[in-house]
Amino acid sequence: MKFRTFTIVAIGALFFSFSLSFSQGSEELSSLETIKKYREVLNTAENPGIIAGAHYKIGLALEKLGRETEATAEYLKIMINYPQISDAGKKAEERLAGLYSSFSKRVKELVKRDEAALGEKDPRIFFAYTKSLYENYRNLGRYDRALSALKWLCNMDPENPDYLIDIGDIYLQGYNDPDKAIFHFKKALEISPGNPKTYVDLGRSYEKKGDYENAVNVYTKAAKASPANPWAIYGLRRIDGIRLAEDKRLVKDWYFLGPFDNSDKAGLKRPLAPEEKIELKATYAGKDNPRLKWFRPFGYDDSGYVDLNLLFKPHDYVVAYALTYVWSRSDREIQLRFGSDDGIKIWLNGQEIFNYDISRPAEADDDLVITNLSKGWNKILIKVSDTWGNWGFYFRATDLKGNPVEHLIFDPLKDDRRVEYIYGRFAREKRFRLTRIATLYIVAVSVFLTGLYFMVSNIYHRIKINRMKEDFISSVSHELKTPIAAVKMLAETLKRGKVRQDGNKARYYDMIIRESDRLTRFINKILDFSKIEKGEKVFYFEKENLVDLTKTAVEIYKDEAQDEKLKIQFNAEKDEILAEIDKDAILQVIFNLIDNAYKYSKEEKVITINVKALQKDVRIEVIDKGLGIPKGSIERIFDKFYRVERDMVMGIKGSGLGLSFVKSVVDAHNGTMTVESKIGKGSKFVISLPVERA
Ligand code: ADP
């Protein structure tokens, strides 16, 4: 205390004691005069001691006049305004205590007196007594008696809704019986419909009952009837809050605590949460913390902006808290991004993580804090200040790159069931995503493997073809060389005149012709094949007798082979089996098949040839008892250049083109071909050709 203040107070206290002793000695002054005199003192006095003394004197005089309520006010003024004058304060306190005890004694006396007066016949006196009785019972907390007094009053003055409202009030406040309260408030509304206050009372009763639908109805009526009435609006907001709190699916992200009246700026210095525990239920009821005016949960839209404008009047000077819990499935680093129009302070799990001086009205628009969330629930408490109204704050949790964080659950109720529900959904989504990813992977891998397979087999095939081509060239040169060498040798022998006998000469000429024919046929075969390959081969289809054609092929072959071991059995079902074919091409085909049967026979070369007529097809079968074809090769013998390894090892001549040519010709006739073969036992080639071309 500064010296100057101390001196003033000391002088004042002295004066107070002096005036006290003086007044006690001058009882001749009437109470009214005393009051008048000290009121004048109060008009001019500046010394706190003198002022406190004057209030005390006025209080005493009022007491003497039986005006206890006014006396109480005088003593309270001393206690509130001049606490530094402890002497005066103490005396005022003593007087107050005395006044209270005598007051309650008198109320009890009054009740007794009124009860005694109930027998009075004069209705006006009776009414006055009853009213007084009700008020006094109510003050004493004797609700049962207050209620009976009120019921008498209702009977006496049925047009007045006030008694019904009072009855409702006692049921609601005193007995906690909202049903009976509702009944009486409704009755009051029947008498005076549209009374906004009654609607608000009715709303409170419904609220207490938990019947929010009806509460909202009546609050809405009250708000319409009297738009200036804040209680109806508060009621609506409160219900909105309760509903959101009860319907956990609707609870979004934050609870709002406040606003706290901060006109004295003390709110900023008050050590509120998290230093002080804020429990939601306590917060809602406002019981444990009277500084909380109301709370209101609210959601925020996608931008994360929390609009607080609804809650504040412009230019309110307040601080407010927003509380939420965040559930994280793991310890993780997150980035909190937030902003408010004024100051903002943030605690995470009780630790202050950000503080922009909330007492300073300034823009604190956009801030970032990187922090750690622990696994499970994390408490986030935000304190914001406002000096100019028109404000809110925004708050967003993101990963370190600023992307929204999945799997974070904001819930001020710390509702584990909600976590389970939401995580269940996440898990389902994840499972779905995983299945999708797995499917994609499987598809991708299959595509890759298939591609790889085709690539490898393609390469392998090319290598094989190359090898086959090489084999082909050596075979072809072999096939060409042999007849040319034979022709040359025969011609030279003749030229040298070494063959004298005519018969022998003729045999030599025949041999030359045969070899030349073989060469021509071989060259034709290759030329034909290449024509087919290039798509240049033109077929001329005509009705031909297959029996004759096959016979001719057999004859030519036999003639050419000049091999006694060759035995060809020819069977035809009829003499004439007609089909629409290209004669030359089919002749080549039959020739090729007989040639193969001959080439791939063992010592004994027995070949059977059958020509058959079916309903729509003709069939040529070439059967041998030769080497047979290995199983794995059967499918490939129609590929160009393909030759079974064995043949090359055994030195059997060939180009690998014969069967490929055969297949192309048969295809051109829309025919089919089958092969049956057993190693060491022989092979059967069957060609079916349609009798008529489609
Ligand atoms: P090539 O000129 O080698 O005979 P082909 O295309 O006519 O060529 O035949 C392909 C392969 O099919 C032959 O190398 C042979 O191994 C096999 N082949 C064809 N016909 C017979 C048959 N009647 N008996 C055994 N193997 C045969």
Side-chain angles (χ1 to χ4, degrees):
M1 200 188 283
K2 284 181 183 166
F3 180 71
R4 208 165 71 97
T5 331
F6 176 76
T7 326
I8 293 168
V9 169
I11 295 169
L14 269 174
F15 184 83
F16 178 70
S17 322
F18 164 75
S19 66
L20 218 61
S21 51
F22 165 78
S23 72
Q24 272 163 359
S26 50
E27 289 200 64
E28 65 274 15
L29 277 176
S30 75
S31 297
L32 280 172
E33 278 171 336
T34 312
I35 293 167
K36 200 181 160 208
K37 182 188 156 195
Y38 284 104
R39 289 253 188 261
E40 273 163 19
V41 171
L42 282 177
N43 279 341
T44 49
E46 277 181 19
N47 184 303
I50 293 169
I51 297 171
H55 280 306
Y56 188 77
K57 291 301 287 181
I58 296 170
L60 281 179
L62 285 167
E63 256 190 85
K64 267 188 194 158
L65 291 172
R67 287 155 65 181
E68 290 101 336
T69 325
E70 288 166 79
T72 313
E74 295 303 314
Y75 299 137
L76 280 173
K77 278 175 197 163
I78 300 169
M79 288 161 70
I80 293 166
N81 295 326
Y82 307 99
Q84 70 269 42
I85 304 168
S86 58
D87 195 20
K90 221 175 132 195
K91 280 194 177 300
E93 221 175 299
E94 275 169 21
R95 284 306 321 144
L96 264 184
L99 273 179
Y100 273 124
S101 71
S102 74
F103 177 72
S104 56
K105 215 190 273 171
R106 226 150 14 102
V107 170
K108 278 176 198 158
E109 279 166 15
L110 274 173
V111 170
K112 262 188 203 159
R113 187 198 68 192
D114 292 343
E115 269 181 331
L118 283 178
E120 295 274 344
K121 293 283 178 279
D122 185 341
R124 280 168 309 162
I125 297 171
F126 182 66
F127 187 78
Y129 279 151
T130 313
K131 209 173 163 193
S132 162
L133 195 64
Y134 150 62
E135 275 160 8
N136 287 308
Y137 273 138
R138 191 178 174 146
N139 285 340
L140 281 172
R142 296 292 303 271
Y143 296 123
D144 49 343
R145 293 192 181 182
L147 270 183
S148 23
L150 275 170
K151 279 173 188 165
W152 295 326
L153 287 169
C154 277
N155 288 339
M156 284 185 274
D157 189 5
E159 296 299 301
N160 191 341
D162 289 349
Y163 305 122
L164 285 166
I165 292 171
D166 285 351
I167 293 175
D169 226 30
I170 287 178
Y171 275 125
L172 188 65
Q173 308 285 358
Y175 286 110
N176 226 338
D177 185 344
D179 282 319
K180 284 198 176 134
I182 290 167
F183 176 79
H184 288 93
F185 290 136
K186 275 190 176 166
K187 263 183 138 181
L189 278 170
E190 277 169 24
I191 297 166
S192 159
N195 180 352
K197 193 191 167 295
T198 320
Y199 276 123
V200 170
D201 288 336
L202 194 56
R204 278 191 302 129
S205 318
Y206 280 126
E207 247 188 85
K208 204 160 221 170
K209 233 184 123 182
D211 180 352
Y212 298 120
E213 202 169 314
N214 275 318
V216 167
N217 280 343
V218 292
Y219 282 140
T220 312
K221 274 185 194 154
K224 268 189 197 150
S226 161
N229 179 353
W231 303 109
I233 303 292
Y234 290 166
L236 284 172
R237 278 187 192 157
R238 196 167 48 237
I239 288 171
D240 196 20
I242 295 167
R243 275 185 166 164
L244 284 169
E246 286 195 341
D247 185 353
K248 292 184 174 112
R249 284 161 306 157
L250 284 178
V251 174
K252 301 248 183 84
D253 309 340
W254 298 96
Y255 269 127
F256 177 68
L257 317 166
F260 303 94
D261 181 6
N262 200 39
S263 48
D264 58 355
K265 297 189 188 169
L268 304 172
K269 287 167 204 137
R270 263 183 225 130
L272 284 169
E275 299 87 12
E276 212 173 80
K277 210 173 158 201
I278 292 184
E279 289 298 337
L280 282 169
K281 275 191 186 151
T283 306
Y284 166 63
K287 277 179 193 156
D288 298 349
N289 192 338
R291 279 167 296 199
L292 301 184
K293 284 188 179 163
W294 73 78
F295 88 99
R296 185 169 186 273
F298 49 84
Y300 66 73
D301 62 11
D302 288 341
S303 74
Y305 189 75
V306 183
D307 186 2
L308 301 178
N309 288 317
L310 257 181
L311 301 169
F312 299 104
K313 287 187 223 104
H315 312 303
D316 264 355
Y317 195 101
V318 291
V319 286
Y321 287 80
L323 169 74
T324 195
Y325 288 88
V326 182
W327 204 95
S328 171
R329 65 197 291 168
S330 56
D331 293 341
R332 64 161 104 181
E333 215 175 21
I334 58 158
Q335 180 174 281
L336 301 179
R337 200 179 189 107
F338 46 85
S340 82
D341 292 335
D342 282 3
I344 187 163
K345 205 169 173 180
I346 298 175
W347 292 267
L348 173 66
N349 295 327
Q351 292 278 318
E352 186 182 294
I353 56 165
F354 186 82
N355 186 358
Y356 185 94
D357 186 357
I358 65 163
S359 65
R360 228 171 349 163
E363 295 285 307
D365 257 335
D366 196 13
D367 284 296
L368 264 185
V369 166
I370 290 174
T371 187
N372 286 308
L373 285 186
S374 341
K375 189 180 170 188
W377 289 110
N378 295 265
K379 181 180 180 180
I380 295 184
L381 186 74
I382 295 184
K383 188 175 183 180
V384 275
S385 69
D386 170 56
T387 43
W388 301 105
N390 193 27
W391 62 292
F393 74 95
Y394 82 87
F395 184 88
R396 217 179 294 159
T398 66
D399 67 12
L400 298 190
K401 286 178 187 157
N403 301 316
V405 193
E406 270 188 2
H407 308 152
L408 276 192
I409 297 167
F410 284 73
D411 185 353
L413 293 179
K414 285 212 283 181
D415 184 348
D416 288 325
R417 274 171 311 162
R418 194 168 169 237
V419 171
E420 263 167 45
Y421 169 74
I422 293 174
Y423 272 85
R425 220 183 55 210
F426 283 154
R428 275 196 299 281
E429 276 169 17
K430 199 179 160 191
R431 240 177 286 140
F432 174 68
R433 263 207 309 267
L434 282 181
T435 339
R436 227 173 38 185
I437 291 169
T439 318
L440 277 175
Y441 268 113
I442 289 167
V443 169
V445 168
S446 322
V447 167
F448 174 75
L449 287 179
T450 319
L452 194 71
Y453 168 76
F454 278 114
M455 204 174 80
V456 169
S457 68
N458 199 8
I459 291 170
Y460 178 73
H461 194 65
R462 272 158 190 266
I463 292 171
K464 270 213 136 170
I465 283 190
N466 276 345
R467 230 186 63 200
M468 287 193 293
K469 272 184 184 166
E470 279 164 27
D471 294 343
F472 166 75
I473 289 163
S474 73
S475 307
V476 166
S477 42
H478 191 77
E479 292 247 342
L480 289 172
K481 262 189 208 160
T482 320
I484 289 171
V487 169
K488 198 183 169 201
M489 189 267 289
L490 291 167
E492 272 174 358
T493 317
L494 286 169
K495 190 187 167 191
R496 270 188 241 129
K498 286 198 174 171
V499 185
R500 305 248 165 85
Q501 287 175 355
D502 284 349
N504 281 350
K505 271 186 192 164
R507 215 161 45 88
Y508 270 63
Y509 291 131
D510 277 349
M511 275 162 72
I512 290 174
I513 293 167
R514 233 184 10 247
E515 286 303 315
S516 309
D517 281 350
R518 204 147 71 113
L519 199 62
T520 312
R521 250 200 328 279
F522 181 71
I523 289 167
N524 279 345
K525 186 164 130 183
I526 290 173
L527 288 178
D528 267 349
F529 178 80
S530 101
K531 266 191 194 164
I532 285 187
E533 273 288 284
K534 286 191 214 153
E536 286 172 1
K537 168 90 183 155
V538 186
F539 293 94
Y540 299 98
F541 296 97
E542 268 177 80
K543 276 252 147 93
E544 300 287 346
N545 185 354
L546 268 181
V547 180
D548 287 347
L549 192 73
T550 316
K551 254 188 204 161
T552 313
V554 171
E555 291 308 316
I556 295 170
Y557 196 83
K558 268 189 185 163
D559 189 44
E560 231 171 61
Q562 293 292 314
D563 188 344
E564 297 211 334
K565 286 177 191 152
L566 170 64
K567 283 181 184 114
I568 300 181
Q569 262 190 358
F570 178 77
N571 312 303
E573 284 178 344
K574 298 186 253 178
D575 287 343
E576 192 182 63
I577 296 175
L578 294 173
E580 221 177 315
I581 54 163
D582 180 309
K583 190 179 154 191
D584 290 334
I586 293 297
L587 189 73
Q588 288 286 340
V589 163
I590 299 167
F591 211 82
N592 264 304
L593 292 179
I594 298 171
D595 190 37
N596 281 348
Y598 175 74
K599 277 199 297 186
Y600 303 109
S601 278
K602 292 172 261 182
E603 280 298 294
E604 205 190 347
K605 299 170 195 304
V606 181
I607 301 171
T608 309
I609 297 172
N610 302 318
V611 180
K612 294 176 178 172
L614 299 168
Q615 264 190 336
K616 287 183 176 174
D617 295 323
V618 290
R619 195 178 271 184
I620 305 164
E621 299 172 349
V622 181
I623 307 157
D624 64 63
K625 292 183 173 168
L627 300 169
I629 305 161
K631 252 197 177 157
S633 298
I634 287 191
E635 275 181 20
R636 305 202 52 201
I637 52 175
F638 297 100
D639 293 349
K640 57 186 173 187
F641 307 124
Y642 180 80
R643 301 201 69 212
V644 175
E645 293 272 353
R646 167 203 67 195
D647 311 332
M648 286 179 273
V649 175
M650 288 170 75
I652 302 170
K653 284 180 245 167
S655 61
L657 293 179
L659 285 180
S660 170
F661 170 82
V662 167
K663 188 164 187 298
S664 302
V665 173
V666 171
D667 284 348
H669 282 74
N670 295 329
T672 54
M673 238 189 118
T674 57
V675 189
E676 288 165 32
S677 186
K678 261 192 181 165
I679 285 285
K681 295 252 159 103
S683 312
K684 179 180 179 183
F685 285 81
V686 181
I687 291 172
S688 299
L689 302 170
V691 175
E692 281 177 5
R693 283 180 55 74

